[in-house]
């Protein structure tokens, strides 16, 4: 029952402050049956607009939406057979949980024992079998959100669309619900599109992530691919924490390693696969804070420690390339283990990384 979804050159133009702008700009996407795909990006990048066009709440200015190869661009929302879970899950306060979940079936004309079984199955799936006689205000926020999910799942939608469904929950519950939603989605094998601006949520839950930036796709790939091989500085910075070090691609050796020049220092790193710079070009070296090490001399650069933050399990050093006019310090995260040597601020040290842990991308 899983479906595929295709977006072909989808755009949406709006008028804001008397000016036209493209909230969504020529998106092409293939979602596989049973896939959990997340739209990730900062506020205003067009995630919700894209999801609303798929749902049928918004009409594309141009382009086509296909489900299992059938064009649904002009099919009304209520005939698309989709389930939508919002951030504001507004249950009916005067109805018991059972009736809240049964509501959609009732509208469809499904009542009686068969319908009741569907409701109980949906409540069991979200772990709320015992709550069926309670009212929404007798449940916690997380439980209410699970009822909202059951209310959608009971209708067996072909495609599940979720827009920031966890953002009203407290941090601990959010972590728990990530796992729950993923478990249920896998159990049902349902294709799911999920919108979030939380990169951790996207990394932990998704099969693939579509990173959006100002209405277009910056990169589409598995969480690990995005983390290891960011296509743009935006993706490198948005997914996890990254140091973006400015320099020049000096040369590439016969094995494909890049040699990156920062003033007089040459550092060896992987060449980005998505968007590699040309030899001689200004470029960026992306190295994550946890991959920078103090004191080793191989593949190292001299840096001055300008600040030190003790975080318990780790020490976060802020470092600047020595004798540079760098605007913002880089970050180096060192595990704090028994015997770890603490380095004072204002010390100049060798900061090294393994060539595999650095990636050179277009600046
Ligand atoms: P958020 O995480 O804040 O919801 P988003 O990535 O989901 O952001 P969208 O809601 O898709 O972003 O909005 C994209 C852009 O389109 C924003 O600049 C927004 O102000 C604008 N926009 C959205 N809906 C309309 C509308 N109906 N009329 C005019 N502009 C709109």
């Amino acid at each position: 029952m899983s479906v595929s979804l295709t977006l072909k050159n989808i755009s949406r133009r709006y008028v804001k402050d008397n000016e036209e702008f493209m909230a969504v700009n020529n998106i092409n996407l293939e979602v596989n049956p049973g896939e959990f795909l997340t739209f990730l990006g900062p506020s205003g990048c067009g995630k919700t607009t894209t999801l609303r066009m798929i749902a049928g709440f918004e009409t594309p200015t141009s382009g086509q939406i296909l489900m299992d190869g059938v064009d649904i661009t002009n099919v009304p929302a209520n005939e698309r057979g989709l389930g939508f879970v919002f951030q504001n899950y507004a249950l009916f306060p005067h109805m018991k949980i059972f009736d809240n979940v049964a509501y959609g079936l009732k509208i469809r004309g499904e009542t009686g024992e068969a319908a009741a079984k569907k409701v109980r199955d949906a409540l069991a799936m979200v772990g709320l079998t015992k709550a069926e006689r309670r009212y929404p205000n007798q449940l916690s926020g997380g439980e209410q959100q699970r009822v909202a999910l059951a209310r959608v799942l009971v209708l067996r939608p072909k495609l599940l669309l979720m827009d920031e469904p966890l953002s009203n929950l407290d941090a601990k519950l959010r972590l728990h619900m990530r796992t729950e939603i993923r478990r249920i989605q896998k159990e049902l094998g349902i294709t799911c599109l999920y919108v979030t601006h939380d990169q951790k949520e996207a990394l932990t839950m998704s099969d693939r992530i579509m990173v959006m930036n100002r209405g277009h796709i910056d990169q589409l790939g598995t969480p690990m691919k995005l983390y290891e091989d960011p296509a743009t500085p935006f993706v490198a910075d948005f997914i996890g924490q990254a140091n973006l070090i400015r320099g020049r691609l000096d040369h590439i050796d016969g094995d494909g390693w890049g040699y990156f020049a920062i003033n007089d220092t040459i550092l060896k790193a992987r060449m980005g696969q998505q968007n590699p710079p040309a030899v001689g070009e200004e470029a960026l070296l992306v190295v994550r804070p946890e991959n920078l090490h103090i004191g080793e001399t191989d593949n190292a650069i001299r840096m001055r420690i300008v600040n030190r933050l003790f975080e318990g399990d780790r020490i976060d050093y802020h470092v600047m390339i020595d004798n540079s006019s760098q605007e913002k310090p880089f970050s180096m995260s060192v595990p704090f283990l028994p015997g770890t040597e603490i380095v004072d601020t204002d010390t100049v040290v060798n900061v090294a990384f393994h060539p595999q842990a650095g990636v050179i991308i277009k600046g």
Side-chain angles (χ1 to χ4, degrees), residues 14-16 21 23 42-50 58 164 197:
Y14 284 129
V15 177
K16 201 156 74 173
F21 83 108
S43 182
C45 71
K47 310 178 293 287
T48 296
T49 305
T50 308
E58 199 74 69
E164 306 259 5
H197 63 270

Side-chain angles (χ1 to χ4, degrees), residues 175-245:
L175 289 184
H176 176 66
M177 285 300 288
R178 281 182 195 168
T179 327
E180 279 291 282
I181 289 178
R182 188 62 172 139
R183 175 185 64 77
I184 293 165
Q185 182 267 339
K186 272 193 179 153
E187 219 168 281
L188 293 177
I190 192 169
T191 314
C192 180
L193 291 172
Y194 191 96
V195 163
T196 183
H197 63 270
D198 181 330
Q199 46 110 0
K200 278 274 164 65
E201 209 166 285
L203 288 173
T204 50
M205 295 177 80
S206 320
D207 291 314
R208 282 190 303 160
I209 301 173
M210 176 169 104
V211 182
M212 294 186 75
N213 181 13
R214 295 196 212 144
H216 66 260
I217 304 179
D218 248 38
Q219 192 171 1
L220 174 65
T222 63
M224 279 186 198
K225 183 75 180 166
L226 298 186
Y227 196 79
E228 287 182 353
D229 193 16
T232 63
F234 176 81
V235 174
D237 201 33
F238 200 75
I239 306 275
Q241 241 196 314
N243 296 306
L244 303 175
I245 307 175

Side-chain angles (χ1 to χ4, degrees), residues 78-97:
N78 59 356
E79 291 171 25
R80 292 189 185 190
L82 313 180
F84 208 108
V85 181
F86 300 93
Q87 166 178 341
N88 298 316
Y89 38 82
L91 303 174
F92 300 117
H94 58 285
M95 284 188 196
K96 288 182 177 157
I97 298 310

